[in-house]
Each structure stands twice: as C-alpha cells, then as structure tokens.
Amino acid sequence: MSANRLKPEDIDKLGDALIALTHEVWVLRDRQKVLERLLADAGVLAPDAVQGFQPDDSLNAELGAEREALINNVLRALSA
Amino acid sequence: MGYQVQQRGRASIDFLTDLRRCSNRLEADPAIAGINPGAIFDHPQAGTKLDFVSMQTKTLRLLSDSEAFRVLRLCREWMLAAHGRIAMEAFAEMPVALSAELDAAKSGSSTLQYAPDLTLPAYWDGYEFHRSSGGWDGHDYMGFVHGELIHFHMVGRALAGVLHAQRLAAAEAALYDAPERILEMGCASGQFTAALAGTYPNARITALDLSARQLEQALRRGNEQGASWSLLQAAAEQTGLKAAQYDLVCSYAVFHELPRAVAEQVMVEKFRLCKPGGALLMADVKPYSSLSAHEVWNADFWNQVVGGDPHWREYAMTDFIALAESAGFVNVVWQGLGQYHYPYVLTGRKPASH
C-alpha cells in the first residue's frame, strides 16, 4: 500500500481544506464560547458539567448530522 | 430593515475578516514587497500594448520561491472561492420570516421595471464576477446576500466605513451643482444610488442594471429611504431610454467589468442620454497609468489573473479621456479623489450647443 495517498498536484486542495477546516473550528469555538457564557450567566452550568457529559441517542443523532456536514465541507475543498 | 446575522454566519464573517487581515501582513514580506516587473510597467500609458502575460509569468516564477507569497495566494484564493457560499449559508440560517420581510420591502415609493425579454449580454450572463458563487442572480434573494451580507458585512467591515465615504466623494465630484434628473448605469444594489440621493436630495433618480435580484435590493433600499427611484432592468449599452433627458449621467465601479468594445458603446449611450450642457461622471478603479510597476503587477495579478475580474486590464489600459471625447464629451478630466487617489473619477460635459 502506498503511503502517498495524495499526489503532489493535490497540495493546493489540501491547503484549501486546511483553511476550510480552520473556518469550521472557529465557528464551533465561537458557538461554544457563546453557549458557555449564556449558561454560566443563567446559573445553569456547573463547572464540570460539560466535561463529564454523555450524549443520549437524540443528541448523538444531531451531532452525527452536524459532523457529516462538517466532513462534507472539508471534502468539498479536497475534491474541487 | 432590521435583521441579525445568526451565529454561524457571524462567526464565518469574523473568520473571513481576520483571515484577510492576518494574511495581508504577508504582503510586507521582502520577496513580495520588492517584486519589480520592470520599467515598461512603471506608469504604462493607456492605449499602448504591453505583454502582460509574459510579465505575470516572469514575476510568478520569481515569487514561486517565496513561502509568504504561496501562503498569501492560498488564503486569498480560498476567500474568493468561499465568500459567496458563506454568504448564502448565512442567509439560509436566518429566520424564515426574513424572506417575507424582504418581499414586503419591495413595496413603497420606488419602482422597478423588469425586462423579462431582455437578452443578457454574453460578457455578463452566467459569469461569476469576483469569483462570487452564484453570481449576481443565482439566488432568490441574491440582492440582499450581495448588498448586505457581502458588501456591508464582509467587504464593508474590512474597510471600516470607507466604502460609503468614497461613493459620497464621487457623487460630489460631478460637474453639476443641482441636477434635476440623474441616470445611474449599473446601480447593482443601490449603494451609489444612495450616495447620489444623499448628495442631490431634490434630483429625480433613474438607475438601471442587468441583474433583477440586485435591482430588487436597490428597490428595498430606495423604499427604506422613502425615495422615489425609478429602477430599470436594462443594459447600459442599449438602454432604450429617450435621448437627452438627464442632467447627470453616471456610474460607479461598472466600467472595469466591461469589455473595451462595450465600454465604448456605454460611453456613446451616456452621451446620447445626457442633456446638452449636462454632465458625465464615471467613478472606477485606478488606471495603470497612475500606478508604479509594482502596483501594476499587484492590481493585475490579484484582480485580472486570479480575482474574477476578466476585463480589469482592458479597463486599466484604456484612455478614458480619449474615449469620452470621441463620444462627444468636452472638458474631460480623469483623476483620483482624496488622499488615496481613489476612486478615479472621469468628469466631462456635453456641449450646450449639441
């Protein structure tokens, strides 16, 4: 099996994908900060509530759909 | 009309703004800042022929060794490719009620006349200027997407209020103190129309564009301001309007989107529509004759070569004084405004005796 799954001509697309991924990471970090601030201000969040949380089936499905959209965004750059 | 960009759109625009700001710092790298495409590109004379393809090939070969340039190009091309999609995504996450509000905002004191049988010119139809996904018309609310989300939130924020000030300065540069009737060609979403209305509050304004979706945003803007703009879907080179009706015939950032042959036709049409004694005003980007060799390379590469502005070079190498004079205008002057000599404004008169 070749270790070079991407060819040299893919390098620009890899750069595009890296920036697309950075964009998505930022959008999420922004949202997380907003949520944590809102919840803390409302007295809803205990300090370790996020760290120890386990998602149920419903949240797992929601996370799955959002994860798929995130991956598709990166793949769009790789396959453009 | 009030609206709020939602979380993903807001964070995405923040990201674009900062990616642009941070990557712009790479321009100071000596390899980029010091690139010099040669003496013949220092203030090149309009109307002359220069081998731009060879110049770009040569400078690109030199710059290919620069890591700063490679990263700058990666970032800028990503932003060009992504900004339209990000704006459309930002619209899609906004409340459904916004669409109804946008539809309602089309009713008011301004009017829009569509031209459903208009044959869209080949240089315009289907082309995504500025590499903006969806072009001017590719979305039911593309006028809002461009005029607000792209122009105001993305571009406007990066330039911190400069855009409207530039339009006001251009509107004030017209050689006509109190025009009663103004025609604007290529009004898009009505940004310059608003500057004209602010500068000449008593004028009757007619504004035209090819894009129905952009005109709809101009209509909303006019209605919001309580203005009575007459908006028309028409090609500037063939408006179908009655001759000699307007005291001031103007455009903002339109000519650099036109092939040279069409620019000539538009200038002739401007002259035809101008009243005897009326004024010409064309505001646009800087011609290459006003730039240093390095600035010529910079403008040519980022706009013509990779920026989705296919007629930028033709515009920048055209002698617009000669072009306006050959259409019949007199007292023609072409100069940059303000501290940064931007925008470049062409003014002239139609002879009173014509």
Side-chain angles (χ1 to χ4, degrees):
Chain A
M1 184 188 294
S2 168
N4 298 316
R5 295 180 191 174
L6 293 177
K7 294 182 176 177
E9 55 265 36
D10 297 326
I11 195 71
D12 284 348
K13 293 173 184 172
L14 190 63
D16 286 344
L18 180 67
I19 300 176
L21 192 57
T22 311
H23 165 219
E24 295 299 339
V25 168
W26 171 251
V27 170
L28 287 174
R29 284 176 62 173
D30 178 291
R31 193 170 187 92
Q32 185 178 330
K33 282 279 182 193
V34 170
L35 276 172
E36 288 178 7
R37 168 66 67 87
L38 289 172
L39 291 171
D41 287 353
V44 174
L45 261 190
D48 59 350
V50 174
Q51 188 69 14
F53 184 80
Q54 298 300 316
D56 61 14
D57 290 347
S58 164
L59 183 57
N60 261 330
E62 201 174 319
L63 288 170
E66 292 200 17
R67 196 162 52 243
E68 185 178 329
L70 167 62
I71 291 167
N72 284 338
N73 224 3
V74 177
L75 294 185
R76 183 188 298 125
L78 279 170
S79 59
Chain B
M1 201 182 76
Y3 65 89
Q4 279 193 319
V5 179
Q6 304 295 291
Q7 186 268 333
R8 180 180 169 83
R10 178 184 57 73
S12 295
I13 293 167
D14 287 346
F15 179 78
L16 277 174
T17 304
D18 283 350
L19 179 61
R20 179 189 171 92
R21 191 168 52 80
C22 294
S23 59
N24 277 351
R25 293 180 187 142
L26 294 165
E27 284 187 312
D29 184 272
I32 303 174
I35 199 75
N36 187 343
I40 60 169
F41 290 98
D42 207 358
H43 307 285
Q45 289 307 299
T48 58
K49 288 200 180 303
L50 295 176
D51 189 350
F52 279 92
V53 173
S54 168
M55 181 270 275
Q56 287 296 359
T57 306
K58 191 186 85 181
T59 46
L60 208 51
R61 200 177 300 131
L62 293 171
L63 284 166
S64 67
D65 290 335
S66 160
E67 184 181 80
F69 177 75
R70 295 195 302 269
V71 174
L72 180 61
R73 184 174 182 181
L74 174 71
C75 292
R76 287 190 172 168
E77 293 217 45
W78 187 86
M79 288 187 278
L80 283 162
H83 77 276
R85 176 174 55 77
I86 285 174
M88 285 189 279
E89 283 177 1
F91 180 82
E93 70 168 345
M94 291 168 91
V96 175
L98 177 63
S99 300
E101 286 181 44
L102 290 171
D103 291 341
K106 290 196 285 185
S107 298
S109 49
S110 292
T111 60
L112 167 56
Q113 188 177 323
Y114 293 95
D117 298 329
L118 178 69
T119 302
L120 296 169
Y123 69 84
W124 188 88
D125 191 20
Y127 187 80
E128 293 183 340
F129 286 92
H130 311 146
R131 294 172 65 178
S132 199
S133 300
W136 305 122
D137 268 353
H139 184 286
D140 284 350
Y141 298 93
M142 206 61 175
F144 177 84
V145 169
H146 258 283
E148 290 294 319
L149 301 180
I150 293 179
H151 186 90
F152 181 70
H153 286 278
M154 289 183 183
V155 184
R157 206 171 84 186
L159 294 174
V162 169
L163 294 175
H164 189 60
Q166 289 170 339
R167 282 168 170 75
L168 279 176
E172 289 164 3
L175 300 174
Y176 210 103
D177 288 338
E180 291 177 8
R181 296 198 68 186
I182 297 175
L183 174 67
E184 183 193 357
M185 292 176 156
C187 66
S189 63
Q191 315 274 358
F192 187 54
T193 326
L196 288 166
T199 307
Y200 307 106
N202 298 318
R204 288 165 59 198
I205 296 178
T206 300
L208 58 85
D209 201 277
L210 285 165
S211 165
R213 300 290 86 82
Q214 300 305 314
L215 283 162
E216 287 165 353
Q217 184 63 12
L219 180 64
R220 295 182 193 107
R221 193 184 306 280
N223 288 335
E224 189 174 58
Q225 297 184 7
S228 301
W229 299 342
S230 298
L231 303 164
L232 303 173
Q233 188 184 19
E237 59 271 35
Q238 196 172 13
T239 63
L241 294 169
K242 197 176 134 194
Q245 286 192 84
Y246 300 95
D247 302 302
L248 173 61
V249 180
C250 51
S251 60
Y252 193 99
V254 172
F255 273 81
H256 77 265
E257 309 285 21
L258 304 174
R260 163 66 194 250
V262 178
E264 283 183 34
Q265 293 169 8
V266 173
M267 196 61 78
V268 168
E269 184 70 349
K270 281 190 170 194
F271 186 80
R272 186 182 74 80
L273 295 170
C274 201
K275 282 181 185 171
L280 160 73
L281 175 74
M282 177 196 89
D284 217 302
V285 299
K286 293 180 181 181
Y288 287 171
S289 56
S290 71
L291 303 179
S292 68
H294 175 82
E295 290 169 330
V296 168
W297 164 75
N298 193 58
D300 198 77
F301 183 75
W302 295 115
N303 294 288
Q304 173 77 33
V305 178
V306 300
D309 260 320
H311 308 297
W312 183 285
R313 186 182 297 154
E314 265 183 302
Y315 161 87
M317 287 297 287
T318 292
D319 181 349
F320 272 91
I321 293 179
L323 197 139
E325 287 176 343
S326 72
F329 289 106
V330 295
N331 305 125
V332 180
V333 176
W334 198 19
Q335 61 190 348
L337 298 182
Q339 181 186 0
Y340 299 107
H341 307 288
Y342 189 92
Y344 243 70
V345 172
L346 184 82
T347 53
R349 284 271 188 185
K350 183 170 180 173
S353 58
H354 193 278

